[in-house]
Amino acid sequence: QVQLVESGGGSVQSGGSLRLSCAASGATISSLSMGWFRQAPGKEREGVASVNPHGNTNYLNSAAGRFIISRDNAKNTVYLQMNSLKPEDTAMYYCAADPTSWWGLSRGYAYWGQGTQVTVSS
């Protein structure tokens, strides 16, 4: 059983930065495919960034060039560095993991965290 705990959310002004963290337990992240998702009120959950055990990454088009997903295997933690934030980035952000498949930006991941809120004001 993999457990994921997100942190690092908060309120920032447009153009600001935040770094989200996802601490994993029950498995080593080097063996997991990991993803960051977000869900705004009234909208479907969408994939923002993902990384597989080989280090391959992919990003939502609107996040590419602004967000960076990375892993610290020693801390068993995945990060999402978010720069140049916009009001439309406001959402609950979730971390996801899967030990057997890389789902990319699709929602097929087996394990999910509880989320951390990001609010960007104009």
Side-chain angles (χ1 to χ4, degrees):
Q1 186 80 4
V2 178
Q3 295 183 327
L4 305 170
V5 178
E6 303 96 333
S7 61
S11 296
V12 296
Q13 291 190 327
S14 183
S17 297
L18 282 173
R19 188 179 76 160
L20 305 184
S21 300
C22 173
S25 60
T28 55
I29 61 169
S30 60
S31 66
L32 298 171
S33 291
M34 306 289 296
W36 282 101
F37 290 75
R38 67 186 181 188
Q39 188 167 17
K43 295 188 177 182
E44 290 191 354
R45 190 172 298 189
E46 64 178 356
V48 176
S50 70
V51 60
N52 70 10
H54 303 290
N56 303 114
T57 59
N58 64 347
Y59 294 90
L60 182 69
N61 284 344
S62 62
R66 299 188 299 127
F67 293 5
I68 300 172
I69 188 169
S70 63
R71 296 181 302 194
D72 185 333
N73 292 339
K75 295 183 178 180
N76 219 37
T77 298
V78 173
Y79 301 99
L80 184 67
Q81 177 68 44
M82 304 188 296
N83 302 318
S84 302
L85 283 162
K86 305 174 182 180
E88 51 264 42
D89 294 317
T90 295
M92 184 72 78
Y93 281 72
Y94 298 89
C95 178
D98 199 290
T100 58
S101 299
W102 184 31
W103 295 94
L105 302 183
S106 299
R107 292 174 286 182
Y109 292 83
Y111 301 100
W112 293 82
Q114 294 300 307
T116 185
Q117 178 68 38
V118 172
T119 303
V120 185
S121 58
S122 59

